[in-house]
Every structure is written in structure tokens, then in C-alpha cells.
Amino acid sequence: MVLVDRFGRPVTNLRISVTEECNLSCFYCHREGQMKGKRQMTPQEIERIVKVASNLGIKKVKLTGGEPTIRSDIVEIVKRIRPYVVDLSMTTNGTVMHRLAEELRAAGLDRVNISLDTLDREKYKKITGFDVLPWVLKGIEKSVKLFKLVKLNMVVMRDLNHEEIWDMINYAAKIGAVLQLIEIEVPREMTESWFFKRYFYPLKPLEDEFSKKAVEIRERRMHRRKKYFIPTENGIAEVEVVRSMHNTVFCANCTRIRLTSDGYLKTCLLRRDDLVDILTPIRNGATDEELIEIFKQAIMLRRPYWI
Ligand SMILES: Nc1nc2c(ncn2[C@@H]2O[C@H](COP(=O)(O)OP(=O)(O)OP(=O)(O)O)[C@@H](O)[C@H]2O)c(=O)[nH]1
Ligand code: SF4
Ligand code: SF4
């Protein structure tokens, strides 16, 4: 069984924020659209929710944060949810992957997305607040050897790193990772903010250039994101473009529901008014059937953000 929302969008993915905290402080961070919470789900509670979700056909799970690896029980979380999912991935800043990747792989993690906005140490420090680029690169190179897929997440910012895009494409091809180019995204009310005006770098023109250079273009079902296979000096680079701002096609093909680290189902990254508490019922002894109803209720609240 797969649940479909009122807009005909099947819900097949669950993005779980396991903590709102992070060991870096990127100035553009959206913290998965989460507000500061007073409680945190235990590994057992996360397992329970994933089990219920899998009964509803939601079998792709991504662990996010904040930074998921700062939880000391992250390996236990991976082990507990592994049996219920077909695709188990994590989005991480990569700062501790040089020492954690093996354990995570052994626990059953299939793949990782690692943030990497720049290959320049000074710029990295400026963006994230910490001088840890060499550790991140070590973690990336180790992850490429262990996981079946590694994606590098580059948030493209005007005048800060947009000139590095081709260097990043070459680097990704060299190490055998996929590069994800991510347009800055903000909720509607922030489109007039200084941050958005200063750093937004539209990726549409670049996609047009990729279309001409690519030897192959594929379209993912989710968000209808395009993947370009581009020849480089290091072989074929696989480049995926995440372009969500004012993108009605992206939202119309959104198959995700989110779970905040303090135990609320959340229907959309950019909405803050749509939380459905699932942790309180769990702590009050709800049955699986009651939790399934809570999921259904959240899924029925889902609306595309950009329409
Ligand atoms: N608006 C919006 N942006 C998203 C969504 N999913 C991912 N993004 C953006 O894409 C960035 C990277 O997301 P990741 O956590 O790496 O996951 P992903 O690339 O979407 O997932 P996979 O391709 O399955 O690995 C996020 O930080 C967001 O900026 C979504 O559902 N809606
Ligand atoms: S690493 Fe990710 S979660 Fe941490 S501050 Fe940067 S963008 Fe936010
Ligand atoms: S509805 Fe749109 S903005 Fe909201 S999570 Fe889905 S793709 Fe992102």
C-alpha cells in the first residue's frame, strides 16, 4: 500500500531529523525548517515510527539533522531502522565520516550525501565557521570507497562559490561521487531578505549549458530533478540540479514527508504551520493502528508549496 495525498502525490520517502544541533554553523542553514524543540526521539521511538511508515509503503528513509552524526547513538539508530527500509541514506556535513563511515556502513547505511560547498579551505571556514575542510575531504574519500553512492551537496552562492562549479564537477568525477548543485531556497516571506538578494544564484542558465554538453540526461521521479552526465578531464561527471524556488514542477512531484527530531510529522520543508505530533501519542501508549491514523492525517495535510 502507498498513500497518496490530496494532490495525487504518492508518499514514499521519510526524512528524519535526528537532532537539530550541528557542529558547524553555515550562515545559510535552514535546519530542515525546524524550530528549537524541547524533546528528542530515542532510537526505539524512531524505529517504531519507521516501522509504522514502512507498513504504509514509505520505505525510503533519509537521516538528517542538524548534523545526524553528532548523536552518540547514530549507529544504533541505523541498525534499528535498517530492517524496515529499502533505501537508507544520510545527509551529513562529513566532519566525522573519516572515523564513522565504516561503522555506519556495517550498520546498514546504503549511501550518504555530504555537504561540500567549496574546495578552498579559507572559503570553507568563512561559510561554515570552522577550519575542518581537510577532515571533510578525508571523510568523503573514505565514503566513496565504502558506500554504493556518495553525493556531494554544493549550495551555490553568488560571488562566494559560483565560480567553483566546474572545479567541483571535475573533483566529483575524479573521486567517483555525484555532484548535487543546490539553489539557495527560502520561504516566500524571505525572498526580499538581504541574504536571498545577495547570494541567490539561479541555476537555470547553467542547466541550459549542461543540456548542450551532456552525453545523457535523466529525470528523477522525485521533484523531476534532472541529472546530467557531463564529459570532463576526469571522465563522465554525474551532476544533479536541485532547483526548488518558485518551481511548481518540483513541488508537484514531491514524495516526501518529514519527521522533526522532537517528534512531529512535517508536511513540507518550507512550512512551519503543519506539524502533527506523533511522539506524544507514542509516549502515551498509542497502538500501531492509532499511529497509522496519525500518518494518514499528516499526509492529508500535504500541499505543494510553490503552486
Ligand atoms: N524545497 C525542497 N528542497 C529540498 C527537498 N529535498 C531536498 N531539498 C534541498 O536539497 C538539499 C539536499 O538534500 P539532501 O538532504 O541531500 O537530499 P536529497 O538530495 O533531496 O535526497 P536524495 O537525492 O534522495 O539523496 C536540501 O538541503 C534542500 O535544500 C524538498 O523536498 N523540498
Ligand atoms: S552543516 Fe548542515 S546542518 Fe550544519 S550548519 Fe551547515 S547546513 Fe546547517
Ligand atoms: S512541497 Fe515543495 S517545498 Fe515543500 S517539501 Fe515538497 S518540494 Fe519542498
Side-chain angles (χ1 to χ4, degrees):
M1 166 168 78
V2 172
L3 291 180
V4 177
D5 70 16
R6 292 174 298 139
F7 296 85
R9 302 176 303 172
V11 180
T12 52
N13 299 46
L14 176 65
R15 285 176 73 94
I16 306 176
S17 165
V18 293
T19 175
E20 68 206 10
E21 282 167 25
C22 184
N23 54 347
L24 298 184
S25 49
C26 306
F27 71 91
Y28 59 73
C29 180
H30 57 50
R31 307 255 159 186
E32 292 287 321
Q34 201 177 318
M35 311 293 271
K36 200 153 183 56
K38 292 193 180 65
R39 55 185 193 178
Q40 188 171 77
M41 296 177 293
T42 64
Q44 290 84 349
E45 288 163 345
I46 294 173
E47 179 186 356
R48 178 97 192 276
I49 295 169
V50 169
K51 187 175 146 207
V52 168
S54 82
N55 286 333
L56 293 168
I58 302 171
K59 293 192 185 286
K60 294 182 185 169
V61 171
K62 183 174 300 288
L63 299 173
T64 70
E67 172 49 39
T69 61
I70 67 167
R71 270 190 75 149
S72 57
D73 52 8
I74 189 66
V75 173
E76 181 190 348
I77 293 172
V78 170
K79 272 191 196 145
R80 281 182 177 274
I81 62 182
R82 175 69 271 181
Y84 307 103
V85 299
V86 296
D87 175 40
L88 181 54
S89 64
M90 178 184 284
T91 298
T92 168
N93 61 30
T95 47
V96 299
M97 287 309 270
H98 59 283
R99 58 179 168 78
L100 205 60
E102 261 153 16
E103 249 187 293
L104 288 169
R105 180 68 197 110
L109 191 67
D110 293 316
R111 59 188 184 93
V112 284
N113 293 8
I114 303 181
S115 311
L116 185 70
D117 295 335
T118 175
L119 292 165
D120 178 296
R121 193 163 171 171
E122 272 311 303
K123 258 192 227 170
Y124 187 93
K125 192 171 155 197
K126 188 172 168 193
I127 294 169
T128 67
F130 292 83
D131 184 18
V132 292
L133 179 63
W135 297 108
V136 174
L137 294 179
K138 244 179 145 175
I140 289 172
E141 281 153 36
K142 186 151 202 186
S143 299
V144 168
K145 293 195 186 104
L146 287 167
F147 294 100
K148 60 182 176 199
L149 175 64
V150 174
K151 291 184 174 188
L152 304 178
N153 279 348
M154 177 185 189
V155 177
V156 183
M157 292 166 276
R158 184 158 60 94
D159 298 337
L160 198 50
N161 65 352
H162 83 263
E163 284 172 350
E164 263 192 88
I165 289 174
W166 285 98
D167 290 342
M168 290 287 288
I169 291 175
N170 276 318
Y171 173 72
K174 186 172 113 197
I175 64 164
V178 171
L179 180 67
Q180 270 200 145
L181 296 175
I182 302 168
E183 235 182 32
I184 287 178
E185 59 179 315
V186 293
R188 228 172 254 114
E189 63 275 14
M190 274 182 66
T191 49
E192 290 304 311
S193 67
W194 74 268
F195 163 76
F196 187 75
K197 286 186 172 158
R198 173 69 188 82
Y199 292 112
F200 183 75
Y201 183 80
L203 294 177
K204 174 79 176 72
L206 199 67
E207 281 205 77
D208 295 340
E209 190 182 340
F210 289 166
S211 297
K212 290 186 197 119
K213 292 195 164 121
V215 289
E216 188 186 342
I217 302 172
R218 288 190 205 150
E219 198 172 68
R220 285 182 70 185
R221 184 163 181 217
M222 195 204 35
H223 297 146
R224 293 259 177 89
R225 295 187 198 171
K226 290 222 170 76
K227 269 200 207 174
Y228 301 86
F229 293 79
I230 303 170
T232 74
E233 63 199 43
N234 297 319
I236 302 282
E238 200 177 320
V239 183
E240 186 167 333
V241 179
V242 183
R243 202 158 55 77
S244 63
M245 284 301 290
H246 301 285
N247 187 342
T248 53
V249 173
F250 196 86
C251 290
N253 293 280
C254 174
T255 54
R256 302 183 150 158
I257 185 138
R258 291 159 190 268
L259 176 63
T260 66
S261 60
D262 54 348
Y264 292 85
L265 292 172
K266 187 173 190 296
T267 66
C268 168
L269 171 68
L270 298 177
R271 291 184 198 278
R272 292 174 194 269
D273 57 351
D274 60 353
L275 299 171
V276 178
D277 189 356
I278 189 163
L279 188 56
T280 303
I282 288 180
R283 291 187 176 173
N284 290 339
T287 61
D288 280 0
E289 289 65 37
E290 284 164 338
L291 297 185
I292 285 175
E293 286 312 309
I294 290 170
F295 256 96
K296 287 183 177 167
Q297 188 192 332
I299 287 170
M300 285 308 131
L301 286 175
R302 272 168 47 89
R303 288 160 292 159
Y305 189 79
W306 302 108
I307 46 173

